[in-house]
Amino acid sequence: MTTAPTPWLFTGRPGADGTSVERAAHRDGPDAVLFDRDGTLVVDVPYNGDPRRVRPRPGAEEALARLGALGIAVGVVSNQSGVARGLLTRRQVRAVNHRVDLLLGPFGVWAVCPHGPDDGCACRKPAPGLVLAACARLGARPSRTVVIGDIGSDMGAATAAGAHGVLVPTPATLPAEIAEAPRTAPDLPTAVDLALGTPFRPRATAARIAGGAP
C-alpha cells in the first residue's frame, strides 16, 4: 500500500507554540496568520539552500513584530519543489528556515511541501494541505486564519482550506493573480492591517453556548 506524500512540519523556536492562540482568544481577530516564505517574507532566491542569502522583504520585520506584540500565532507555509528536483536537501531547507526564524520570528510552525508538481500530494499550494497542517499544529481554526502570500497559489491554498487570503504583489505576480485575489495589499504591514481587520464570524459567548444558540 502506497503512502500519500505528506508535508514536512518543523516546530518553531521555544515560546512560539500554539498557546498564542489561547492568549488571543478574547479578541475578535484571527487565530493565526500564516505567511508564504519566498517572495513574501524574504527576497525570492530560486531554490535557495544557503542561509547567508536570506534577505527579509521590506516591512517584514514590522509586520511580524506587530503580530507578536498582539500574541497572535504565526506560521509559514512554503512550497519547496527544489527538494523533489534534487536541488535542495531537508537539511538545507531547515537551515534557511532557521535563518528566517532568527531574523523575523519566532514562528510557531513551518509547514513545507517538498514535492514536485506531478507527485500527487495534497500539500503543494494551491492545495490546502500546508494551511490545514499549520492550523492543526497551532490549534487555529482555518476559518479564523489569514494566509498572506505573493502569488495566486497562496490565495488558492487559503480558499481551499477555508481560510482568508491577502495578496502582496511583487514583480513576479501575474496580473490575473492580482485581479482574482480576494484582497491585495501594497506591503506586508498593510497586509497585516487587513488580516487584523478581517470580518470573522463573532465568537460564541458562554451564554449563547449554554443556551444552545448556533
Side-chain angles (χ1 to χ4, degrees):
M1 181 176 179
T2 302
T3 303
T6 57
W8 291 348
L9 293 178
F10 302 104
T11 302
R13 284 184 282 154
D17 60 19
T19 56
S20 52
V21 172
E22 298 174 9
R23 292 198 299 272
H26 68 284
R27 290 190 298 270
D28 287 327
D31 282 357
V33 178
L34 305 177
F35 293 86
D36 171 58
R37 192 189 81 179
D38 303 320
T40 301
L41 288 177
V42 299
V43 175
D44 186 14
V45 178
Y47 308 122
N48 182 30
D50 185 352
R52 295 171 297 182
R53 302 183 72 187
V54 172
R55 298 289 182 272
R57 294 268 304 156
E61 185 174 0
E62 175 188 344
L64 270 298
R66 184 176 182 200
L67 292 171
L70 292 171
I72 294 175
V74 291
V76 179
V77 287
S78 179
N79 286 352
Q80 294 296 324
S81 68
V83 176
R85 301 174 196 272
L87 302 173
L88 291 171
T89 66
R90 183 185 181 101
R91 184 173 182 176
Q92 288 174 313
V93 170
R94 189 160 198 167
V96 170
N97 289 350
H98 181 65
R99 180 60 177 163
V100 179
D101 201 85
L102 289 175
L103 292 172
L104 299 173
F107 295 95
V109 64
W110 290 79
V112 174
C113 173
H115 310 117
D118 300 322
D119 287 344
C121 70
C123 52
R124 179 177 169 82
K125 295 178 290 184
L130 291 183
V131 175
L132 295 175
C135 285
R137 180 62 63 90
L138 293 171
R141 291 162 291 182
S143 63
R144 298 190 71 92
T145 295
V146 179
V147 179
I148 297 176
D150 67 311
I151 58 176
S153 63
D154 299 317
M155 300 300 97
T159 299
H164 304 262
V166 179
L167 183 76
V168 182
T170 70
T173 312
L174 299 176
E177 294 175 325
I178 298 173
E180 295 170 2
R183 291 178 293 177
T184 63
D187 50 45
L188 282 171
T190 305
V192 166
D193 286 341
L194 291 175
L196 295 174
T198 299
F200 300 106
R201 183 178 178 180
R203 300 180 190 274
T205 64
R208 287 174 58 196
I209 293 173

